[in-house]
Amino acid sequence: MNIHNYEKLWLVLSMVLIIGFISTVVYGATAVGIEMVNDEGGTIDSTALEEDERFSEPRVEKVGENEYAAYVVARQFIFEPDPIEVPANSTVTFYVTSPDVIHGFEVVGTNANGMVVPGEITELTVEVNEPKEYGILCNEYCGGGHHTMEGKLIVVPEDEFELGGQSDE
Amino acid sequence: MSEQLESGAPTFLDKFPDEAAVVRAALWSSFIALALGAVFGLIQALHRTNVLRLIDSTDYYTVLTAHGVLMVISFTIFFLVGLFTWATVRSLDREVVDIRYTWTWYGLMVAGTLMAVVAILGGFVPSLNISADVLYTFYAPMQAHPLFYGGLAIFLIGTWLAGADWFRTWWAWKADNPDERIPLQTFMVLTTMMMWYVASIGITIAVVGFLLPWSLGIFDQINPLLTRTLFWFWGHPVVYFWLMPAYLLWYTVLPTVAGGRLFSDPLGRVVFVLFLLLSTPVGIHHQYVDPGIAEGFKTIAMTNTMFLLLPSFLTAFTVVASVEHGARQRGGTGLFGWLRALPWRDPAFTGMMLAGLMFAAGGFSGMINAGMNINYLIHNTLWVPGHFHLTVGTAVALTLMAATYWLWPQLTNRRLYSRPIGLAQVVIWFVGMGLMSNAMHVMGLFGVPRRTAEPQYEGFEFVTSFGSITELRLQLAIGGTLLFISTMLFVINIALTSGSPKLSGLGEPLSEPLSTADDSPEILDNLKLWFGIAFVLVILAYALPLASIISRGGILGPGVDPVPMIVEPVVATIEPTLGRLAAAAGSVVA
Amino acid sequence: MSGENTVREIGHDEFDPKGTLALILIYFGVLSVMWVFMYFVEFLGNDLTVLV
């Protein structure tokens, strides 16, 4: 098959771009250590969240030296708990699920972003640094009140942080 | 100086009047959907930016569902079936086997569309108990009225029968021409349809196997991750169903319009085969941040997706080289100076060129979307609509409009009502889309969500690094308004063309490629081989992820209730209705 | 099809798409720069990246 030399050159350059893009992503996954949301969060009966010890009372818990777990429920049209409070300079793993429809969990202005699917638990681990307030919003259409669905993530100075300090009424 | 002196050649209408009638009908359906979709798009652009709110924010989602379905199901696919009928009949130089069959599949597509549109627009009339406020993606457990799912199914069946029509026509031609290569346009039609058949597996199982029976009350529960994954099995290749008609036009029509010849027919075949093979085993790249799907499957989808860039990269070269050929045949010289020698006053030419230029940018934002971990940055933000308004919204939509300026006279024997308005229309589209899409990309980077009626929140502000949110919103609103004006200019220009006098000799023969089919290996025309490989690839990509989702969550879900996006579940209304009918019948008898 | 505006016919062996090559090399450059910027500055430079 007759391919012009210039197009052969472009074919090579296209492969360079493709391999380059794939390599960058692999670099992010390995050297930087970015993990995608996956199936390790496990499954759950979405009609019986109140029977699950984690999600019947959405809250933040200390699970290690500087490690916290945030059990979050996304439902029409709120996030529980609100606000989610964690201490500065710690590692936080969010476990998010929904009893009703698919939602999105987006910490605004950050890379913490995942889908929340009834029956599944979304697990995201991040490192929080200096004290800051972040907004949380739902970025997947979930019904007529979708645009009102927001929450807050508050990174509290370490000396001011108290477990159970947040209300989730 | 007019570029369009009569060539003296007979038109498609002259040679194939029956087929021309179906093509016109399909294209009119397409334009009506576009016009209605544009009205809704304008409402959205003004509403979410807080410039003008004419409706309730809850109704925004009805508008958005209508806009999505009308634009990317109705507008694009009705155009495709019209275009592909024209291309097949023209390139094989032969009528369809049975024109009544052709009208039948078109009728099914119209019926399906009407069913789905009634279901969606019913959302504005709460007393009707019919709605489908589920958006174009209709993710369970949000539930629409069965009319919605039924309409989609019937529409899909219509498209499958359309493909069969073109295959039949080709087989009849092949019997009479056993030793010839498949003409390029027909080759493109058939490979696109084979891709569509493979892609349809996912959505058919989702809609007919699960969602429709569930909406009728046959199942109580559903596994949302399963139906979502089956949706995206189809949801990625559908974008190539939108794109490949545009590519067909860029490869087979644009070179002639530019005054040149297609640089390479063989590379056109290679590109379409690559789309057939690689369009489907990639759907999981729409689910990079979904729970329940292992990272290994996401990585495989990412790699396949990056290789799917190749046919588009090759297309860029081949199409631009063909246009350059035209420019130089028209006397253009220099490394870049040849661009000036092109027929920029021709709206068909300029529209397709602007569409291609915008696609170069849209392709880039797609590369970012594909980059697995970088997807965290932009997932479900306004960046995503920014991306697809450049691709389906311009590369495809603007090409289809531009091509209509070239094709419509050959379907009607009438000159276009106004070429200057056509030229203004394509330029306004380009400017409007540039403003709107740029604003969407930037706002997405700041975290502004997509699919949201009022992205103005109480607890926090969006933080921008350049430009203010207010300026960006205004830019989006202005861009959207220009797009609406452009759409109206297009539809009105075509409508007014019905009043132009009938002329003869408006045929536009297409030029021969520089490198012809004979320069390519015959194996390219072995459609069964490519279909087989495509089928195997999609099974490999999806068997394990689907098996995993089903084994973890159950085929009908780990316990999820339906959330009807309708006022009352259909099942609950059937019994009282039957009761009333029975009572009425009883009182008549007694 | 050579229309009224064709000044000269150019056949297969006489045509080298130099302009296309120039344009596509520019595109290659733009893509490379934009990718590096988006990935390393916008993405990796952003807060709360999800880690193992």
Side-chain angles (χ1 to χ4, degrees):
Chain A
M1 194 166 116
N2 178 279
I3 304 181
H4 193 285
N5 284 335
Y6 295 177
E7 190 142 23
K8 280 187 189 144
L9 172 61
W10 174 238
L11 181 56
V12 170
L13 291 177
S14 298
M15 292 306 291
V16 166
L17 283 172
I18 289 169
I19 303 295
F21 295 156
I22 294 174
S23 308
T24 319
V25 174
V26 169
Y27 165 81
T30 53
V32 181
I34 304 171
E35 189 176 69
M36 299 311 296
V37 173
N38 54 38
D39 56 352
E40 284 165 22
T43 57
I44 194 169
D45 182 347
S46 69
T47 59
L49 286 192
E50 62 289 346
E51 286 163 34
D52 186 288
E53 188 275 320
R54 298 163 295 178
F55 298 105
S56 54
E57 276 175 50
R59 63 190 183 279
V60 174
E61 253 181 29
K62 187 169 170 141
V63 293
E65 169 77 27
N66 220 359
E67 284 170 47
Y68 293 81
Y71 300 111
V72 179
V73 172
R75 67 166 85 233
Q76 287 168 326
F77 299 104
I78 55 169
F79 291 99
E80 297 174 300
D82 186 23
I84 303 171
E85 284 183 11
V86 295
N89 301 310
S90 63
T91 302
V92 179
T93 300
F94 296 96
Y95 299 90
V96 195
T97 192
S98 162
D100 45 39
V101 295
I102 296 181
H103 294 276
F105 177 80
E106 176 189 320
V107 182
V108 183
T110 77
N111 292 334
N113 189 356
M115 298 302 290
V116 187
V117 181
E120 298 277 347
I121 299 171
T122 302
E123 188 184 314
L124 300 140
T125 303
V126 298
E127 279 167 16
V128 295
N129 301 309
E130 74 285 358
K132 203 167 167 175
E133 266 186 36
Y134 297 97
I136 299 176
L137 59 77
C138 174
N139 60 19
E140 182 57 67
Y141 169 63
C142 53
H146 164 62
H147 45 273
T148 65
M149 188 163 168
E150 58 175 289
K152 259 218 171 75
L153 172 65
I154 305 183
V155 181
V156 179
E158 288 165 277
D159 45 8
E160 287 170 33
F161 177 72
E162 258 176 46
L163 276 176
Q166 58 272 50
S167 76
D168 57 304
E169 255 91 77
Chain B
M1 186 212 115
S2 167
E3 295 280 354
Q4 229 184 17
L5 300 174
E6 277 102 58
S7 67
T11 60
F12 187 80
L13 172 58
D14 296 329
K15 296 177 73 177
F16 303 104
D18 296 334
E19 285 77 3
V22 174
V23 174
R24 283 195 310 269
L27 261 47
W28 266 121
S29 305
S30 167
F31 303 153
I32 292 169
L34 174 67
L36 191 52
V39 171
F40 290 133
L42 179 63
I43 293 174
Q44 289 164 235
L46 299 176
H47 190 104
R48 69 165 287 149
T49 51
N50 208 2
V51 168
L52 179 63
R53 289 187 168 157
L54 299 169
I55 56 172
D56 228 12
S57 282
T58 42
D59 283 332
Y60 181 90
Y61 302 107
T62 310
V63 168
L64 182 53
T65 305
H67 178 77
V69 171
L70 284 168
M71 290 309 211
V72 301
I73 305 285
S74 315
F75 161 60
T76 48
I77 300 180
F78 272 113
F79 198 101
L80 176 147
V81 297
L83 183 71
F84 279 11
T85 302
W86 167 78
T88 306
V89 167
R90 192 217 136 257
S91 61
L92 297 177
D93 199 20
R94 125 183 240 131
E95 294 170 357
V96 296
V97 171
D98 184 349
I99 195 77
R100 292 166 308 176
Y101 177 81
T102 309
W103 280 110
T104 305
W105 58 249
Y106 169 71
L108 280 178
M109 287 175 66
V110 172
T113 305
L114 289 174
M115 285 167 67
V117 170
V118 164
I120 297 168
L121 296 183
F124 289 124
V125 188
S127 54
L128 257 186
N129 280 3
I130 298 177
S131 73
D133 291 341
V134 289
L135 305 192
Y136 149 73
T137 44
F138 50 91
Y139 296 136
M142 293 194 303
Q143 186 184 68
H145 192 278
L147 205 55
F148 177 77
Y149 303 112
L152 282 180
I154 290 177
F155 181 86
L156 266 179
I157 293 170
T159 64
W160 300 339
L161 296 180
D165 199 354
W166 304 319
F167 270 99
R168 280 171 77 185
T169 309
W170 171 57
W171 285 323
W173 172 89
K174 207 157 85 128
D176 294 340
N177 299 274
D179 298 318
E180 283 189 45
R181 300 296 298 267
I182 310 174
L184 184 61
Q185 284 186 326
T186 300
F187 183 91
M188 291 176 163
V189 167
L190 299 178
T191 43
T192 304
M193 292 317 289
M194 288 192 295
M195 184 210 69
W196 185 239
Y197 291 130
V198 174
S200 292
I201 296 170
I203 197 154
T204 307
I205 297 175
V207 172
V208 176
F210 292 100
L211 296 167
L212 181 57
W214 174 65
S215 70
L216 289 169
I218 296 170
F219 306 140
D220 296 329
Q221 291 187 115
I222 205 153
N223 183 332
L225 185 59
L226 178 60
T227 51
R228 181 180 153 84
T229 304
L230 288 167
F231 176 90
W232 285 114
F233 179 131
W234 167 89
H236 193 77
V238 74
V239 321
Y240 296 101
F241 205 53
W242 306 330
L243 206 49
M244 284 153 90
Y247 278 20
L248 182 149
L249 289 162
W250 291 353
Y251 275 95
T252 68
V253 173
L254 180 57
T256 300
V257 171
R261 297 163 60 184
L262 173 61
F263 191 56
S264 170
D265 166 310
L267 272 170
R269 282 169 212 260
V270 167
V271 161
F272 272 66
V273 167
L274 286 173
F275 280 125
L276 167 57
L277 298 181
L278 290 177
S279 300
T280 327
V282 295
I284 289 176
H285 71 227
H286 293 266
Q287 300 179 268
Y288 280 147
V289 298
D290 276 26
I293 299 179
E295 188 159 343
F297 299 136
K298 295 179 179 179
T299 308
I300 293 170
M302 189 262 306
T303 313
N304 289 348
T305 309
M306 291 302 187
F307 281 105
L308 189 48
L309 287 173
L310 186 61
S312 289
F313 281 148
L314 289 175
T315 297
F317 192 97
T318 307
V319 171
V320 175
S322 310
V323 169
E324 183 181 349
H325 180 260
R328 297 195 188 279
Q329 287 207 148
R330 289 166 62 94
T333 55
L335 193 58
F336 300 113
W338 53 273
L339 287 162
R340 278 197 298 254
L342 289 165
W344 295 104
R345 293 244 179 87
D346 181 354
F349 175 77
T350 299
M352 286 197 261
M353 292 295 282
L354 291 175
L357 179 60
M358 214 146 227
F359 189 52
F364 175 71
S365 62
M367 293 166 212
I368 294 292
N369 296 343
M372 201 165 73
N373 37 49
I374 193 173
N375 191 266
Y376 275 122
L377 178 66
I378 48 78
H379 175 73
N380 268 359
T381 66
L382 203 51
W383 166 286
V384 178
H387 159 74
F388 64 67
H389 280 88
L390 290 177
T391 49
V392 64
T394 307
V396 177
L398 187 55
T399 294
L400 301 190
M401 290 187 280
T404 303
Y405 294 137
W406 178 85
L407 186 59
W408 200 249
Q410 300 175 69
L411 297 171
T412 57
N413 282 347
R414 298 180 205 274
R415 282 182 168 293
L416 186 67
Y417 175 77
S418 166
R419 278 159 57 89
I421 292 181
L423 188 59
Q425 184 262 315
V426 302
V427 173
I428 293 173
W429 188 277
F430 182 77
V431 172
M433 189 61 80
L435 290 171
M436 187 176 87
S437 169
N438 170 262
M440 285 172 153
H441 278 94
V442 172
M443 284 197 273
L445 284 178
F446 301 142
V448 176
R450 62 183 295 200
R451 295 182 148 179
T452 303
E454 289 179 32
Q456 291 90 26
Y457 295 91
E458 278 166 37
F460 62 88
E461 297 284 320
F462 291 104
V463 176
T464 62
S465 15
F466 46 92
S468 73
I469 283 286
T470 312
E471 282 163 9
L472 290 164
R473 288 195 186 126
L474 207 50
Q475 196 182 317
L476 197 163
I478 293 172
T481 307
L482 289 174
L483 289 168
F484 176 75
I485 292 170
S486 173
T487 308
M488 293 302 114
L489 286 177
F490 171 73
V491 178
I492 293 170
N493 204 350
I494 299 298
L496 288 175
T497 299
S498 311
S500 302
K502 284 243 186 200
L503 293 174
S504 65
L506 292 179
E508 300 271 350
L510 296 176
S511 55
E512 284 299 304
L514 284 169
S515 195
T516 62
D518 302 320
D519 287 341
S520 71
E522 282 189 32
I523 197 172
L524 280 174
D525 283 22
N526 186 345
L527 300 183
K528 285 192 192 125
L529 171 67
W530 305 122
F531 183 79
I533 297 177
F535 190 77
V536 168
L537 286 176
V538 80
I539 300 294
L540 286 177
Y542 271 97
L544 291 178
L546 288 173
S548 166
I549 291 169
I550 293 171
S551 76
R552 289 168 72 257
I555 198 161
L556 286 181
V560 183
D561 292 333
V563 180
M565 303 309 287
I566 54 177
V567 177
E568 232 183 294
V570 175
V571 172
T573 61
I574 290 178
E575 272 193 26
T577 307
L578 287 177
R580 282 194 286 273
L581 283 174
S587 64
V588 167
V589 166
Chain C
M1 164 187 161
S2 46
E4 320 68 34
N5 297 291
T6 305
V7 161
R8 57 169 175 264
E9 304 252 348
I10 304 177
H12 176 272
D13 298 331
E14 298 126 32
F15 180 52
D16 284 328
K18 296 191 163 74
T20 303
L21 183 63
L23 288 173
I24 210 108
L25 288 176
I26 294 173
Y27 186 52
F28 177 87
V30 169
L31 285 181
S32 307
V33 169
M34 288 297 298
W35 176 269
V36 168
F37 171 72
M38 284 297 300
Y39 199 93
F40 292 93
V41 177
E42 287 286 345
F43 173 54
L44 292 185
N46 200 10
D47 220 349
L48 297 193
T49 305
V50 179
L51 298 174
V52 181

